[in-house]
Amino acid sequence: MFTTTTPQALITDILAITDEESYGRIDNDLACAWINNELTTLWQWGRRINRDAFTKVTGSLVMPAGASTMSMTAAAPAGAALTDWASPRGVDVATSTNNWRKLKLYNFVTRDHVGLLSYRFVGDTLYLLPPDQAAVYAFRVWYLFAAPQVSASALDAAISIPDGSDEYIKQGVAAKIRVKLDDDPSPHLALQAQSRREITATLATNHGDQITIADVMDEVGPELW
């Protein structure tokens, strides 16, 4: 459901559809800032339609000896070193080789239950509770990944975007260019709206299980023993 492109490819097409290839009125820094705006918006509504499409899972992680917390964005080995972290979806632990079991969310009411391993997140920091069990099992984290961000200093760096969303991004930036040049942005906005409908249909057709807030609150993960 995802494809790759580069900032340079997007900018080249954007300048072509706005007839700006020869004028030099739109520099790469501005174009990249506008592309990043469109990417952020795309991720916001895309995840509302199909969170599974925007979900990743880490490899096997191990809590350092004596620790019970780990930052998802800090450098390894103390952290998971995730550069695209957005928010958590769940945590599994390995009770044996390749045997992963879902952990339950920490519940303050059951804080005195000895032997019931659970997890909670505060910001990007994972807490495994009780602390004396945190380093016993390898674990992995499922998370929503953030939108890529492009830079004028890395125009040839590949980014991964949902299928068909290059048109959404290009038309959105083209509309911003028209506004900046005191031109009519409506043709580009109409094409962007059409692209959004197509992307929405694709994401909605290929969605998986979408857990709700109620599901999270009622979740009753298994004890490990």
Side-chain angles (χ1 to χ4, degrees):
M1 293 178 63
F2 281 68
T3 188
T4 58
T5 187
T6 65
Q8 185 61 71
L10 292 171
I11 291 171
T12 298
D13 288 347
I14 289 165
L15 296 180
I17 63 178
T18 53
D19 300 316
E20 284 295 309
E21 306 105 306
S22 304
Y23 292 105
R25 293 182 289 188
I26 307 299
D27 63 36
N28 288 335
D29 285 319
L30 182 57
C32 285
W34 282 340
I35 289 171
N36 286 334
N37 288 341
E38 298 299 332
L39 284 167
T40 299
T41 301
L42 170 64
W43 250 247
Q44 287 173 343
W45 57 263
R47 287 188 305 211
R48 288 198 297 269
I49 300 165
N50 185 348
R51 284 186 296 167
D52 290 350
F54 296 86
T55 296
K56 289 183 179 179
V57 63
T58 67
S60 180
L61 300 170
V62 178
M63 195 70 71
S68 60
T69 68
M70 178 180 288
S71 166
M72 294 295 101
T73 57
L82 300 177
T83 59
D84 60 353
W85 170 266
S87 59
R89 291 204 66 187
V91 179
D92 303 335
V93 292
T95 56
S96 60
T97 303
N98 295 323
N99 183 21
W100 295 96
R101 297 184 66 181
K102 179 181 70 173
L103 279 190
K104 74 180 294 292
L105 281 168
Y106 171 77
N107 188 328
F108 184 77
V109 175
T110 59
R111 64 192 182 280
D112 60 340
H113 287 197
V114 177
L116 184 63
L117 190 62
S118 61
Y119 79 93
R120 68 179 299 198
F121 271 94
V122 178
D124 71 349
T125 299
L126 168 68
Y127 289 72
L128 292 182
L129 304 162
D132 63 344
Q133 295 293 316
V136 173
Y137 301 94
F139 62 93
R140 64 185 182 185
V141 178
W142 296 85
Y143 68 99
L144 292 172
F145 58 91
Q149 296 290 277
V150 303
S151 168
S153 63
L155 292 178
D156 293 323
I159 59 171
S160 181
I161 59 176
D163 291 343
S165 61
D166 55 337
E167 186 68 14
Y168 172 88
I169 296 166
K170 289 185 286 190
Q171 296 298 339
V173 176
K176 290 178 171 61
I177 292 175
R178 295 297 189 199
V179 172
K180 178 178 174 61
L181 300 177
D182 293 323
D183 291 334
D184 180 13
S186 58
H188 299 297
L189 293 175
L191 290 171
Q192 186 185 42
Q194 175 59 33
S195 178
R196 175 168 176 155
R197 288 191 291 270
E198 293 170 355
I199 297 166
T200 298
T202 299
L203 290 173
T205 301
N206 293 284
H207 71 81
D209 292 336
Q210 302 294 291
I211 193 167
T212 66
I213 292 175
D215 292 328
V216 173
M217 298 302 293
D218 295 337
E219 185 177 9
V220 284
E223 294 188 39
L224 295 177
W225 46 79

